[in-house]
Amino acid sequence: MKSVTVSYYVGNFGDGLSDEAITDVLCDIVALTPDMPEHLGKEVTCSLMCSRQYGRIDDPDEKGWPRIGKGQTVPERPFLLNMRLGSDGGSFSAYLPEAAYWALQADLKVGRLKFIEVKFIRPRHGYGDLTSIYLSESPPEKP
């Protein structure tokens, strides 16, 4: 891992509000299986995200304005997006449950997590389905 950048967005969404937290982790590709040597040494960005929606319903426990409903996490389970590999590097992303997303922040910020192993279906036209993401303190074991 080379760098970690965190951003936060909140905005109107239909009848309420939604927010989204995004952590972008910039990494170098150090190994690929199956062998794709043209991508070795390129940069790849891992985007980890979580999102909530807030309805504009009155909440009796809320004393101030705007009296919006409690936040609902979206989605409630992890959701893996795709892997993109191109001549300029690559990217992959996943939505995480809120608790998992925020729990990872401290380990990413202090640099405890140093490696990301990603499994994906071999890309066609630069895109492949992501099947797993593994963040760890030590390098993944070789198969």
Side-chain angles (χ1 to χ4, degrees):
M1 290 187 197
K2 295 169 72 170
S3 67
V4 176
T5 306
V6 179
S7 61
Y8 177 78
Y9 166 82
V10 62
N12 289 324
F13 176 79
D15 290 341
L17 296 169
S18 68
D19 70 358
E20 184 171 63
I22 303 170
T23 299
D24 288 328
V25 182
L26 184 63
C27 306
D28 284 329
I29 298 173
V30 296
L32 282 166
T33 305
D35 191 31
M36 293 184 273
E38 68 274 20
H39 298 294
L40 288 177
K42 301 270 175 86
E43 290 184 336
V44 63
T45 300
C46 167
S47 295
L48 303 173
M49 303 171 281
C50 78
S51 180
R52 292 175 294 188
Q53 292 181 345
Y54 302 88
R56 289 199 184 275
I57 53 177
D58 280 345
D59 182 349
D61 296 329
E62 187 86 23
K63 301 298 181 212
W65 181 254
R67 293 178 51 121
I68 61 175
K70 300 289 185 202
Q72 300 297 314
T73 303
V74 180
E76 294 180 12
R77 62 187 185 111
F79 180 72
L80 299 172
L81 298 168
N82 61 19
M83 165 65 86
R84 182 191 66 79
L85 289 174
S87 60
D88 61 340
S91 63
F92 58 94
S93 54
Y95 276 92
L96 304 178
E98 187 177 9
Y101 174 86
W102 292 110
L104 285 171
Q105 295 307 303
D107 287 335
L108 288 168
K109 188 171 187 170
V110 299
R112 183 173 296 131
L113 296 173
K114 295 179 172 64
F115 298 93
I116 300 177
E117 179 180 11
V118 180
K119 294 187 180 179
F120 55 95
I121 296 171
R122 188 179 184 99
R124 289 190 63 192
H125 307 292
Y127 292 88
D129 290 336
L130 197 58
T131 59
S132 70
I133 299 175
Y134 175 63
L135 291 89
S136 65
E137 296 179 33
S138 56
E141 292 184 21
K142 305 227 180 206

